[in-house]
Amino acid sequence: MVAQVIDGKAFAAKVRAQVADQVAKLKEENGITPGLAVVLVGEDPASQVYVRSKGKMTVEVGMNSYEHKLDAETSEEDLLALIDKLNNDPAVHGILVQLPLPKHLNEDLVINSIDPAKDVDGFHISNVGLLGTGQKSMVPCTPLGCLMMLRDHHGSLSGMDAVVIGRSNIVGKPMAQLLLGDSCTVTIAHSRTKDLPDVVRRADIVVAAVGRPEMVPGDWIKEGATVIDVGINRIERDGKNKLVGDVDYASAAERAGAITPVPGGVGPMTIACLLANTLTAACRANGLPEPEGLTA
Ligand code: NDP
């Protein structure tokens, strides 16, 4: 079997176009422009690139983008004061604090000081609890993007066997909750899982979120399974820098029914879902119906 490639770049462009349409309608019919505030502390080069591209795409879909760049020595008190100001600013519907934060700042404290209704990253403990109990929440962007691609490919996921490799708070755990919410039978695997190849071979859906280059070989994949590769790993091959996923794409594509490539799979969906979450937050804040097809 040769797998169908799930084109995350094209799908993300479609999601952004949907968001842009809904934003235009919101402006025209309700006079509301969704606003996303992104807070960056310090000069981490990767974070600067992410923040720049988030700002650019926010503006491209017609939303307001507010960037707050603070220097690396910013005190926790000053950062919390800024978040408090953003929490109380009606023009700001979504707040994202770019992680990682410099070591002297308590990430949990900072994230949990964001108004849960504006927590477009979905990391606030209230949102984690709401997702875990099947209630309306803000859903972390990367797993939301994976879920959208799976729903688009399969329609219903009900009754499917899903394995999530990785149990981080930002990808693995919320991914498992979302799959459970869509009535999959979910296994969460991690570094202590006894027989990972055997666990993966039973899955109709494999989501790999490990951070180890090409760790999952093709012969772990059940014939016809859907493989979602969240991993982003930089490696050097043949003297060139390359981005690869957690799955060995070439061998997995020979057995899977469908697979996301790296790059061009899950990656582009993450920012698209951040924009979708900001739109959802703006609708909820104004008592309006949520945008269809853009939430969990
Ligand atoms: P973490 O490092 O937080 O978590 C990795 C998980 O993988 C852990 O639960 C760990 O298990 C598990 N793990 C490690 N080694 C093994 C192993 N040998 N066998 C089975 N499980 C193992 O990573 P993240 O969840 O933050 O990210 C995972 C990957 O996804 C990274 O490559 C990251 O760059 C990428 N990513 C991509 C995004 C995107 O937009 N596409 C967004 C976010 C992340 P244990 O808990 O037991 O240690």
Side-chain angles (χ1 to χ4, degrees):
M1 172 174 275
V2 176
Q4 180 185 333
V5 180
I6 300 178
D7 184 346
K9 210 171 152 191
F11 195 67
K14 207 169 107 185
V15 170
R16 289 199 307 274
Q18 252 174 291
V19 171
D21 271 0
Q22 304 258 357
V23 168
K25 235 165 103 188
L26 205 58
K27 280 187 195 177
E28 201 183 300
E29 292 174 10
N30 306 88
I32 298 160
T33 304
L36 172 65
V38 176
V39 180
L40 174 64
V41 187
E43 272 102 44
D44 179 65
S47 294
Q48 284 181 332
V49 172
Y50 291 140
V51 167
R52 216 175 301 132
S53 81
K54 282 169 189 171
K56 187 171 160 264
M57 291 198 184
T58 303
V59 171
E60 274 173 13
V61 295
M63 297 182 183
N64 289 327
S65 166
Y66 308 101
E67 277 180 32
H68 295 268
K69 292 186 177 157
L70 309 180
D71 65 55
E73 281 76 45
T74 299
S75 68
E76 203 160 83
E77 196 186 350
D78 285 350
L79 178 57
L80 293 178
L82 171 62
I83 292 173
D84 187 51
K85 204 173 119 209
L86 298 172
N87 281 342
N88 289 298
D89 183 344
V92 172
H93 302 95
I95 302 169
L96 181 149
V97 176
Q98 185 66 42
L99 302 178
L101 288 172
K103 291 276 173 286
H104 68 284
L105 299 169
N106 179 338
E107 265 182 21
D108 287 339
L109 181 75
V110 170
I111 296 305
N112 290 324
S113 71
I114 297 171
D115 177 351
K118 297 189 179 188
D119 168 39
V120 281
D121 251 344
F123 296 160
H124 190 290
I125 46 167
S126 296
N127 282 316
V128 175
L130 290 167
L131 177 63
T133 48
Q135 299 179 68
K136 204 169 267 191
S137 64
M138 275 291 154
V139 175
C141 304
T142 300
L144 178 59
C146 297
L147 182 76
M148 282 185 186
M149 289 194 285
L150 284 167
R151 283 179 177 169
D152 184 66
H153 184 72
H154 286 284
S156 168
L157 308 180
S158 181
M160 296 180 85
D161 286 321
V163 169
V164 179
I165 318 174
R167 55 174 163 179
S168 72
N169 290 335
I170 62 166
V171 189
K173 283 185 204 152
M175 186 73 245
Q177 294 286 7
L178 289 172
L179 291 166
L180 197 58
D182 270 28
S183 299
C184 291
T185 303
V186 184
T187 304
I188 307 176
H190 45 77
S191 67
R192 310 291 171 90
T193 296
K194 260 193 275 170
D195 188 346
L196 188 59
D198 184 58
V199 169
V200 175
R201 277 189 195 112
R202 282 187 259 132
D204 305 312
I205 294 171
V206 180
V207 181
V210 183
R212 287 174 162 249
E214 299 171 334
M215 189 196 92
V216 178
D219 69 359
W220 291 12
I221 304 297
K222 179 162 108 177
E223 209 46 60
T226 301
V227 178
I228 304 290
D229 191 352
V230 182
I232 302 178
N233 307 291
R234 276 165 225 283
I235 61 160
E236 208 188 294
R237 183 170 288 155
D238 305 328
K240 285 185 192 147
N241 289 325
K242 246 192 116 188
L243 276 190
V244 298
D246 292 339
V247 176
D248 177 35
Y249 184 85
S251 61
E254 284 175 16
R255 289 173 66 90
I259 187 166
T260 58
V262 177
V266 175
M269 285 300 289
T270 298
I271 295 187
C273 288
L274 172 69
L275 304 174
N277 276 352
T278 305
L279 173 64
T280 300
C283 291
R284 286 182 186 166
N286 290 282
L288 296 167
E290 291 181 6
E292 240 173 80
L294 296 175
T295 56

